[in-house]
Amino acid sequence: MRLQTKLMAGIFVLVILIGLGFEATFKDMMEDNLKESKGHQALAIAKAVANMPEIQKAFLLPNPSTVIQPIAEQIRKQVDAEFIVVGNRQEIRYSHPNAKRLGKKMMGGDNKAVFKGKAIISESVGTLGPSLRGKAPILNDKNEVIGVVSVGFLQIDIQKEIKRLQGKIFLYTSLLLVGGLVAAILISFNIKKAIFGLEPREIAWMYQEKHAILESIHEGIIAIDADGDITVVNETAHKILGVPNDVLLRGKPIEDVIKHTHLLQVVQTGLAEYDREFLIEGEVFVVNRIPIFDKRQQVIGAVASLRKKSELSKITQELSNVKAYAEGLRAQTHEYSNKLYTLLGLIQLGSNQEAIDFISKEVNVTQGFLHFITQEIGDPILAGFILGKVSLAHEMRIEFEIDPDSSFVDIPRSINRDSIVTIVGNLINNAFDAVKENIDKEKKVTLFLTDLGRDLIIEVEDNGNGISAENEERIFQRGFSTKGGQNNAGIGLSLVQESLEGLDGYLTLSSEEGVGTVFTVVIPKKEGL
């Protein structure tokens, strides 16, 4: 059964039960209240008649009914009572709606308490049928009971009044049921609309799916409502904030958890913020803040995603390395294309011997260099990366040399190869950028690698313009660069520092303005110590 049908049926059944309960309870209450009201009315009339001086004095007359009957009948008609009967202590009637019954004994047998001086309400059967009666004693000047006044309403008339009230109750109950049915339909439609027409099992599945998605992504996710209270926070966000997963953050004000998040400003303005830097516990994060809108385009909250800037920078650097490798391959292709054109020209000119010598020279140089690279640099990724840099240097007219005493075979497995590539690649790129500015002198970069001893040593030397003393401390700061507005400027050397921190290594530099710069990296092998 669909949710909407369940809601309609449930609400309608509930309304029916309430209506039936209302009808039964109200019916009993009305019947009791009506009887009580009629009884008190009858008693009040009886007391009033019993206290009338005319009635009391009439008991001294030879024929009291000549005075009492007209008075009683006049009052009966005015108060719409069924009967007003006045009798003496022998229960002989002095008044009755039927004049033929005057002088006869009263019926019902409920006058004993009255003759003792008590006013009562009773139910009994008289000559007119079952009735509800109010009875009061008539007293003389000596405060002695000399008679009784009985005022009654027939039970059949009371039942007619009850049935009339029951008709009203039934009408109101029917209106209540109809209103309940309409309310059930409206409520079910509104609830269905509020949950976008989804069934409970679909909502449960979407909740589980949402939870799995939130926990599967690397970014920290924090969402708030319009009041600034946290509604969603994933496990990564807990780690970023340094809060254990068993500590409940949902429901807490965002400002109590993270100061100056700007999420509340996003809720107020409805404007998204992308790629903003934000400091948490001394670490820089890249934050995206996006408002959440409802169907009416009203802002009902905001969500923020957080990721370490260093992770994004590493990804950027890896893409840059791939790009550099592709550029190296392109440069190598271009270089060999030129050599093929040269070889074709020699053949076309008939200079066969010169062509053979040219081929032999290139083969010997290439094979010798490749042999050196493959023998002395054990990691194929690093070797291929350096080969790409050699080709790129040829295209950039930079003399890029690898020290013939280099050896980089003994690299422990515990040392991350990607970190080594990041370090070497960024230092070489930095050196290439430095020598590009050389105008009056050659452009030269030298790479030295050694695995001798307990450390891995990487040394990159260039003959660029050098680094000023005031910039030597600043060049490792993220975002600082002497290259102007170039893309990714100010990232390379900071990535080198971050990679070295993960390897427990360190970097030193020696620079002289106008002469050049030497960067030296030392990485402990750790294994075998």
Side-chain angles (χ1 to χ4, degrees):
M1 186 182 292
R2 297 179 64 84
L3 176 62
Q4 185 175 353
T5 306
K6 289 181 180 178
L7 286 172
M8 290 177 59
I11 296 174
F12 189 58
V13 169
L14 179 62
V15 171
I16 289 177
L17 293 177
I18 293 174
L20 293 176
F22 167 78
E23 182 178 8
T25 303
F26 200 67
K27 175 185 175 182
D28 292 339
M29 288 176 59
M30 287 298 299
E31 185 172 354
D32 294 340
N33 289 338
L34 184 60
K35 285 185 176 182
E36 184 178 358
S37 175
K38 288 292 185 181
H40 283 95
Q41 182 184 359
L43 183 60
I45 296 170
K47 287 181 178 180
V49 172
N51 290 325
M52 291 179 66
E54 295 87 346
I55 299 296
Q56 295 172 350
K57 291 178 181 180
F59 271 77
L60 300 175
L61 299 175
N63 188 7
S65 60
T66 57
V67 175
I68 295 175
Q69 174 72 357
I71 295 174
E73 281 300 296
Q74 182 182 4
I75 295 173
R76 181 183 68 81
K77 293 176 182 179
Q78 289 176 350
V79 299
D80 199 25
E82 191 63 33
F83 61 82
I84 296 179
V85 176
V86 178
N88 60 14
R89 285 190 65 89
Q90 290 73 38
E91 298 184 333
I92 301 301
R93 300 188 186 101
Y94 290 153
S95 68
H96 194 278
N98 187 352
K100 293 180 180 180
R101 292 177 179 172
L102 293 176
K104 296 181 179 179
K105 191 172 182 179
M106 300 171 66
M107 298 182 63
D110 51 355
N111 290 329
K112 292 182 180 180
V114 181
F115 288 143
K116 293 180 180 180
K118 296 180 180 179
I120 64 170
I121 297 174
S122 67
E123 292 185 38
S124 185
V125 179
T127 57
L128 299 177
S131 60
L132 180 66
R133 306 174 177 188
K135 290 178 174 285
I138 301 172
L139 305 176
N140 60 15
D141 295 338
K142 297 178 181 180
N143 210 29
E144 297 173 341
V145 177
I146 59 174
V148 60
V149 177
S150 179
V151 179
F153 296 93
L154 291 181
Q155 292 282 11
I156 189 171
D157 293 335
I158 296 175
Q159 291 299 322
K160 287 179 180 179
E161 182 68 17
I162 291 174
K163 288 183 179 179
R164 186 180 67 81
L165 292 174
Q166 285 179 343
K168 290 185 177 181
I169 294 173
F170 179 77
L171 176 62
Y172 294 150
T173 304
S174 300
L175 292 175
L176 178 65
L177 293 176
V178 173
L181 178 60
V182 174
I185 295 173
L186 293 177
I187 290 173
S188 62
F189 272 111
N190 285 334
I191 292 177
K192 193 72 172 177
K193 183 179 179 182
I195 59 176
F196 301 101
L198 298 173
E199 294 296 314
R201 63 181 181 277
E202 295 174 321
I203 296 174
W205 167 251
M206 289 182 66
Y207 174 80
Q208 295 173 346
E209 185 180 46
K210 170 190 168 186
H211 180 75
I213 291 172
L214 286 174
E215 299 305 331
S216 66
I217 58 180
H218 294 292
E219 287 83 359
I221 302 296
I222 301 176
I224 64 171
D225 58 20
D227 297 324
D229 296 329
I230 296 175
T231 56
V232 174
V233 55
N234 69 348
E235 185 176 344
T236 306
H238 273 272
K239 293 179 180 178
I240 291 173
L241 299 174
V243 178
N245 288 332
D246 56 354
V247 176
L248 183 64
L249 294 179
R250 186 179 302 167
K252 291 185 178 181
I254 185 66
E255 289 293 330
D256 291 350
V257 179
I258 311 175
K259 299 294 184 182
H260 312 299
T261 62
H262 294 281
L263 268 179
L264 288 175
Q265 286 87 329
V266 172
V267 172
Q268 293 168 0
T269 62
L271 301 176
E273 298 178 355
Y274 297 99
D275 300 329
R276 302 293 178 88
E277 292 189 5
F278 188 71
L279 193 66
I280 301 178
E281 300 293 335
E283 193 164 7
V284 179
F285 289 83
V286 176
V287 183
N288 294 315
R289 306 179 184 95
I290 302 173
I292 303 172
F293 296 94
D294 61 12
K295 288 184 176 180
R296 296 175 295 176
Q297 293 302 305
Q298 299 292 322
V299 179
I300 58 174
V303 61
S305 64
L306 306 92
R307 188 161 188 177
K308 289 182 180 180
K309 187 176 180 181
S310 58
E311 294 180 0
L312 296 176
S313 298
K314 286 181 180 178
I315 294 173
T316 302
Q317 186 58 37
E318 289 177 5
L319 291 175
S320 298
N321 290 340
V322 171
K323 183 179 178 182
Y325 184 70
E327 287 292 326
L329 292 177
R330 186 188 63 79
Q332 192 175 40
T333 302
H334 181 70
E335 181 183 358
Y336 276 99
S337 177
N338 290 336
K339 291 178 180 179
L340 286 174
Y341 281 122
T342 302
L343 183 61
L344 177 62
L346 291 173
I347 293 173
Q348 288 177 339
L349 292 172
S351 303
N352 295 333
Q353 187 59 44
E354 286 79 358
I356 293 172
D357 293 340
F358 181 78
I359 294 172
S360 299
K361 177 182 177 183
E362 289 299 321
V363 168
N364 290 334
V365 171
T366 302
Q367 286 183 344
F369 185 73
L370 289 175
H371 178 76
F372 171 77
I373 289 292
T374 54
Q375 288 295 320
E376 301 301 333
I377 300 178
D379 186 76
I381 296 176
L382 180 60
F385 184 76
I386 292 175
L387 281 174
K389 290 297 182 183
V390 170
S391 299
L392 181 61
H394 280 300
E395 185 176 359
M396 297 174 67
R397 300 293 187 266
I398 296 174
E399 184 181 347
F400 180 41
E401 296 181 353
I402 301 176
D403 193 301
D405 294 328
S406 294
S407 176
F408 219 62
V409 178
D410 184 18
I411 305 176
R413 293 182 180 179
S414 60
I415 294 180
N416 188 292
R417 267 49 175 182
D418 292 336
S419 297
I420 296 293
V421 171
T422 297
I423 293 169
V424 174
N426 280 290
L427 291 178
I428 292 175
N429 289 341
N430 190 72
F432 283 1
D433 290 335
V435 300
K436 280 195 302 185
E437 301 177 2
N438 292 353
I439 299 176
D440 299 330
K441 59 180 179 179
E442 63 180 351
K443 303 173 183 179
K444 186 175 181 180
V445 175
T446 303
L447 172 64
F448 173 67
L449 305 168
T450 181
D451 55 5
L452 300 178
R454 296 186 174 184
D455 300 315
L456 299 177
I457 297 176
I458 303 168
E459 186 175 278
V460 178
E461 180 180 359
D462 67 72
N463 67 337
N465 293 328
I467 302 171
S468 64
E470 62 181 12
N471 288 336
E472 284 189 8
E473 293 296 330
R474 301 177 62 194
I475 59 173
F476 299 105
Q477 296 176 4
R478 181 177 294 274
F480 176 79
S481 175
T482 59
K483 305 172 187 176
Q486 295 184 24
N487 292 334
N488 298 327
I491 296 178
L493 290 179
S494 65
L495 286 176
V496 171
Q497 283 282 51
E498 291 173 6
S499 298
L500 287 173
E501 288 175 3
L503 299 174
D504 293 330
Y506 62 91
L507 178 148
T508 62
L509 72 88
S510 174
S511 182
E512 183 178 349
E513 291 190 70
V515 177
T517 304
V518 178
F519 285 94
T520 303
V521 171
V522 178
I523 303 171
K525 293 182 180 179
K526 297 181 182 179
E527 291 187 353
L529 295 179

